[in-house]
Amino acid sequence: MDIHHFLALPHRFRWGGVGGDDCMTFPASWALRCVGIDPAEDLRGTYRTQAEAHAIVESYGGELAFMDRRLVMIGAKRVQEPDTGDIGLIKAKTGETAADQVETQIGAIRFGPLWACIHPAGIRATPAEFIAAWRLSA
């Protein structure tokens, strides 16, 4: 499956990655489509709220350590210059309204010069600063 087909699928934001995806299971779903292994398989359905998701990520030492451990275990390699289809940890503003937006780190998929990520309103492709990126092994 190519990135265009994946992004065109119906996507739904849902904490816990069951019946939809959150900001960390969204790139894991892409990995599953690309390499047949879901790096979040054992976590899906084990949490249902943002606070529970953050607790899991923090148990790994934060977003970067969480994503690195999960992606390396499926054979992904860190890259310095991400290409379309690579998974990244990006800096993004999250929040429902401008008043409650805060900068955070979320998982995303490189899409040309943009990063595609999931949001309660759907998929967004946006320019963003990336913290780290991984290439999936085909």
Side-chain angles (χ1 to χ4, degrees):
M1 170 174 288
D2 73 17
I3 189 71
H4 296 279
H5 289 110
F6 178 75
L7 295 176
L9 294 171
H11 292 279
R12 178 176 154 192
F13 187 91
R14 186 148 186 134
W15 289 111
V18 176
D21 280 306
D22 57 44
C23 61
M24 292 302 193
T25 63
F26 177 67
S29 291
W30 169 241
L32 175 60
R33 298 275 183 154
C34 292
V35 298
I37 304 169
D38 181 358
E41 180 178 26
D42 62 324
L43 298 175
R44 291 182 189 271
T46 65
Y47 62 98
R48 295 192 191 328
T49 67
Q50 181 179 13
E52 291 171 336
H54 285 228
I56 290 169
V57 169
E58 287 307 311
S59 75
Y60 282 78
E63 292 88 348
L64 179 58
F66 173 79
M67 287 188 71
D68 193 54
R69 184 164 165 199
R70 291 281 162 171
L71 291 167
V72 167
M73 77 179 194
I74 67 162
K77 306 284 186 214
R78 287 278 290 268
V79 294
Q80 297 301 314
E81 296 184 33
D83 281 331
T84 294
D86 289 344
I87 292 174
L89 177 64
I90 65 169
K91 291 182 181 180
K93 294 213 180 215
T94 60
E96 293 297 316
T97 67
D100 65 55
Q101 285 196 346
V102 342
E103 188 171 276
T104 190
Q105 298 177 9
I106 62 172
I109 306 162
R110 187 72 170 184
F111 182 60
L114 306 174
W115 289 96
C117 51
I118 196 162
H119 179 272
I123 301 299
R124 290 188 175 172
T126 184
E129 178 183 343
F130 79 96
I131 296 161
W134 296 263
R135 184 154 300 141
L136 299 168
S137 301

